[in-house]
Amino acid sequence: MTISHLSNISSGTERSSAAAPLVEAGDDSVNGSVDYKGNPVHRSTSGGWRSASFIIAVEVAERFAYYGISSNLITYLTGPLGQSTASAAANVNTWSGTATLLPLLGAFVADSFLGRYRTIIAASLIYILGLGLLTLAATLTSDSVHDFPNIKEAMLSAPSQFQVTLFFFSIYLVAFGQGGHKPCALAFGADQFDGQNPQESKAKSSFFNWWCFCSSVGIALTHVVMVYIQDNLSWALGFGIPCIVMTTALLILLLGSRTYRYSVNGKEINPFMRIGRVIHKAIRNRHTTPPSAMPGEEDACQWHQSHEQFKFLNKALLAPDGSVEDQNVCSVSDVEDTKALLKLVPIWITSLAYAIAFAQTSTFFTKQGATLDRTIFSDFKIPAASLQTFIGFAIILFIPVYDRIVVPIARGLTRKPSGITMLQRVGTGMVFSAISMVTAALVEMKRLETVKEHGLVDLPNVTVPMSIWWLVPQNILWGVADVLTVVGLQEFFYDQVPKELRSVGLSLFLSIMGVGSFLSSFLVSVIDEATSGDGQESWFANNLNRAHVDYFYWLLAGLCAVGFIAFFYFARSYIYSRGNTI
């Protein structure tokens, strides 16, 4: 699927562009933003890449700290804490799922009460406290219960209940800090660019690309540096370094305070209250005839665009007697903001197929790699989990190509600041995800054929004479899909929500990945139960040589295809929200 095949998705953008033309490039004022003292700001002295650079640096540090825990958490649980593999895996899944969904709470607090900047500061303090306590817990816990000569001594030296409680309290405190930090930092960074200025509109689109690029660098550093320190030197040092890094990140954030643009909430009523009020009044007036004419001429254009979408909400513009003169009726902008949120629901749902498939990159891709010949040179073998770095490398390499080559070419063809629309980008990435799963299925079929040829079906611990490099293409393809779909969804859920709810919008994007992970676990459990009956081997048998992970990959490829078709259906008719022209 090429960009041209997705061209129809751009129709909504073209219709909305006329509603809110870009301001002149020479206009130095920035509407809707103030400086740290609350005074009006000018684009020449605030925001832009200068301010965004501080926030990107903070993001690199946060990703370094977060993955400094998550990437090797199961090793700590089965080592120093002495848990079984099953218990450790359950604890890791519960923690990661919670950490992924907590941004919804953090975004609510930011957009309703504290604002993004203050929420980032508060979340950073919680983050640092959690990491500090985690370092203390690691210091108090013995290096590994497996270091003792017998079970009796190991049991006597096992962590106390206090140490275990302190550890879990610490990591969940980190999860809460991450929940407030993650959606607000990205939204606050994007706030440094004025989408209504031609040059800054282009820069805002690039910002999402470079945000992902720098995040990937931070994650790669963690996989290379922190995992080695934790496995070979000290867990206390392995958790202490992320604590120091997050403290430094907070200082960097504060250093840029004088340069930032702070969004101003133009509505006196809480945005959640406004939206709830629209829904309440629309339900109350469900039997009232909706207006056929625009109540105010100044909003005629936006009314014309979305009048037919979610028509039942138009009844919120009426009083119970059917008039539009009542002061308690909702405004057109309130109704449009509510529609903007509801329009995201189909995109959110149809993106879940991508998230379900994405969850396999850290599980079954690694399981495949563990059975293959991982020798790189002489006696050095690449760890199976290190294959995930190829996804990161693909992201790091492809983002500059996309931002500096693909976008300018597309921009010349489409005359759009971002080259192609956000939904075109997301859809193209979904196609790459399906191709990646097909590639993974074909490679697994090849692996199983090799197993049979060499009589290794019942020898799961014997290395399959097949190079680990066979798995590189599927990981690289997934990295390209990530650049397109994940970055596109980030930009989309930031841009297409009311300005006051942009942190919530980004938390909705994060929830796609979280819910997708939970759905993946549910799908694996159901298939495992369904395919292991009557004495048959499960698709996910412990002996991977008798399993059929290839069948699962084909299923996911089909799921990605169906998800893309459903996404394409809704994306074609999507009308971009007023004032958003990217």
Side-chain angles (χ1 to χ4, degrees):
M1 180 63 67
T2 62
I3 293 175
S4 61
H5 290 122
L6 296 171
S7 60
N8 287 335
I9 299 177
S10 65
S11 59
T13 301
E14 294 169 355
R15 289 193 294 272
S16 65
S17 298
L22 298 176
V23 298
E24 294 297 327
D27 188 354
D28 193 49
S29 62
V30 182
N31 294 327
S33 296
V34 296
D35 64 12
Y36 71 105
K37 291 184 178 180
N39 299 321
V41 296
H42 301 281
R43 71 182 76 258
S44 59
T45 58
S46 69
W49 284 111
R50 173 180 48 186
S51 298
S53 297
F54 286 102
I55 305 169
I56 288 176
V58 171
E59 168 67 7
V60 173
E62 190 277 329
R63 289 293 84 187
F64 181 91
Y66 180 79
Y67 279 90
I69 299 173
S70 65
S71 61
N72 214 19
L73 181 58
I74 193 168
T75 303
Y76 186 84
L77 292 176
T78 55
L81 288 193
Q83 294 189 346
S84 67
T85 300
S87 297
N91 282 322
V92 170
N93 288 334
T94 301
W95 179 78
S96 60
T98 302
T100 307
L101 294 179
L102 276 174
L104 289 169
L105 175 62
F108 172 79
V109 172
D111 289 345
S112 299
F113 305 106
L114 296 180
R116 291 167 197 139
Y117 177 73
R118 286 193 291 266
T119 300
I120 296 172
I121 293 177
S124 296
L125 292 173
I126 295 173
Y127 219 132
I128 293 169
L129 176 60
L131 289 169
L133 292 175
L134 186 60
T135 304
L136 175 62
T139 302
L140 296 175
T141 306
S142 60
D143 286 341
S144 175
V145 297
H146 302 298
D147 292 338
F148 296 93
N150 55 63
I151 297 176
K152 183 178 180 180
E153 290 188 33
M155 291 296 293
L156 291 174
S157 301
S160 66
Q161 185 60 46
F162 169 75
Q163 291 170 336
V164 174
T165 302
L166 177 62
F167 173 80
F168 280 103
F169 176 76
S170 301
I171 62 172
Y172 276 94
L173 204 59
V174 169
F176 269 95
Q178 189 264 172
H181 195 286
K182 185 63 178 174
C184 297
L186 179 52
F188 189 58
D191 287 344
Q192 306 310 308
F193 302 93
D194 181 7
Q196 299 308 308
N197 175 270
Q199 296 303 318
E200 292 198 18
S201 178
K202 296 178 183 178
K204 177 183 282 190
S205 184
S206 291
F207 166 78
F208 286 94
N209 294 327
W210 292 106
W211 178 274
C212 183
F213 175 90
C214 294
S215 297
S216 298
V217 171
I219 295 169
L221 284 173
T222 298
H223 287 149
V224 172
V225 177
M226 296 313 303
V227 172
Y228 176 84
I229 291 174
Q230 292 166 353
D231 285 352
N232 298 282
L233 298 179
S234 166
W235 282 101
L237 183 62
F239 292 143
I241 291 176
C243 182
I244 296 172
V245 169
M246 274 304 298
T247 303
T248 304
L250 178 57
L251 295 177
I252 293 173
L253 177 71
L254 295 174
L255 282 175
S257 298
R258 292 175 178 269
T259 73
Y260 300 144
R261 296 173 185 171
Y262 302 87
S263 295
V264 177
N265 187 352
K267 306 288 195 305
E268 294 181 359
I269 305 177
N270 181 289
F272 291 95
M273 294 292 292
R274 292 193 294 110
I275 291 168
R277 185 165 170 258
V278 169
I279 296 174
H280 169 72
K281 289 189 176 295
I283 294 175
R284 187 190 65 178
N285 297 339
R286 62 187 179 278
H287 298 303
T288 305
T289 303
S292 57
M294 180 66 207
E297 292 299 326
E298 69 277 4
D299 292 324
C301 186
Q302 71 179 60
W303 176 263
H304 174 72
Q305 289 178 15
S306 60
H307 175 68
E308 296 301 318
Q309 288 190 309
F310 302 106
K311 290 179 63 174
F312 70 95
L313 291 178
N314 296 337
K315 295 185 178 183
L317 298 168
L318 299 176
D321 61 2
S323 70
V324 296
E325 302 299 329
D326 194 325
Q327 293 184 350
N328 292 322
V329 300
C330 297
S331 67
V332 172
S333 62
D334 288 347
V335 173
E336 293 304 302
D337 286 348
T338 306
K339 289 182 179 182
L341 284 179
L342 291 181
K343 287 192 298 181
L344 300 179
V345 174
I347 303 300
W348 189 94
I349 293 175
T350 54
S351 297
L352 287 175
Y354 177 90
I356 293 172
F358 175 79
Q360 316 316 316
T361 59
S362 61
T363 54
F364 291 113
F365 279 22
T366 302
K367 288 279 287 183
Q368 276 182 301
T371 67
L372 302 181
D373 182 6
R374 293 177 280 117
T375 303
I376 303 300
F377 53 85
S378 62
D379 294 328
F380 178 77
K381 288 187 176 182
I382 182 174
S386 295
L387 282 170
Q388 297 176 56
T389 59
F390 284 103
I391 297 177
F393 289 153
I395 293 173
I396 292 172
L397 292 175
F398 184 63
I399 283 181
V401 172
Y402 179 83
D403 192 75
R404 299 303 180 188
I405 299 176
V406 176
V407 170
I409 293 175
R411 189 180 291 149
L413 296 174
T414 64
R415 304 299 179 188
K416 299 181 186 301
S418 59
I420 59 176
T421 66
M422 292 172 281
L423 293 181
Q424 287 174 340
R425 178 174 184 168
V426 172
T428 305
M430 288 182 173
V431 173
F432 273 95
S433 70
I435 296 173
S436 176
M437 298 315 300
V438 169
T439 304
L442 293 173
V443 170
E444 178 63 10
M445 291 174 65
K446 171 65 177 177
R447 192 191 70 84
L448 292 176
E449 289 178 5
T450 304
V451 165
K452 292 178 181 178
E453 289 174 2
H454 291 81
L456 302 177
V457 174
D458 294 314
L459 299 173
N461 295 323
V462 176
T463 299
V464 178
M466 182 174 167
S467 174
I468 192 72
W469 299 112
W470 278 86
L471 300 183
V472 172
Q474 66 200 53
N475 283 276
I476 291 178
L477 282 168
W478 202 272
V480 174
D482 226 28
V483 171
L484 295 168
T485 296
V486 171
V487 180
L489 285 173
Q490 286 178 346
E491 187 176 0
F492 177 78
F493 277 91
Y494 169 87
D495 191 72
Q496 293 298 296
V497 297
K499 185 177 181 180
E500 305 93 329
L501 293 176
R502 282 174 171 169
S503 298
V504 171
L506 287 170
S507 68
L508 287 174
F509 151 71
L510 293 170
S511 71
I512 292 175
M513 310 309 291
V515 173
S517 181
F518 283 125
L519 289 177
S520 173
S521 298
F522 174 75
L523 186 61
V524 169
S525 298
V526 170
I527 292 176
D528 183 54
E529 182 71 23
T531 58
S532 60
D534 300 327
Q536 297 180 349
E537 293 283 355
S538 165
W539 284 11
F540 314 114
N542 289 332
N543 180 359
L544 205 64
N545 296 340
R546 285 192 171 275
H548 275 292
V549 179
D550 54 331
Y551 293 172
F552 185 53
Y553 287 154
W554 284 117
L555 176 64
L556 291 177
L559 184 63
C560 287
V562 172
F564 169 74
I565 293 172
F567 170 85
F568 186 76
Y569 172 80
F570 289 108
R572 290 190 64 181
S573 57
Y574 185 87
I575 299 176
Y576 284 76
S577 298
R578 72 197 194 291
N580 299 302
T581 57
I582 294 177

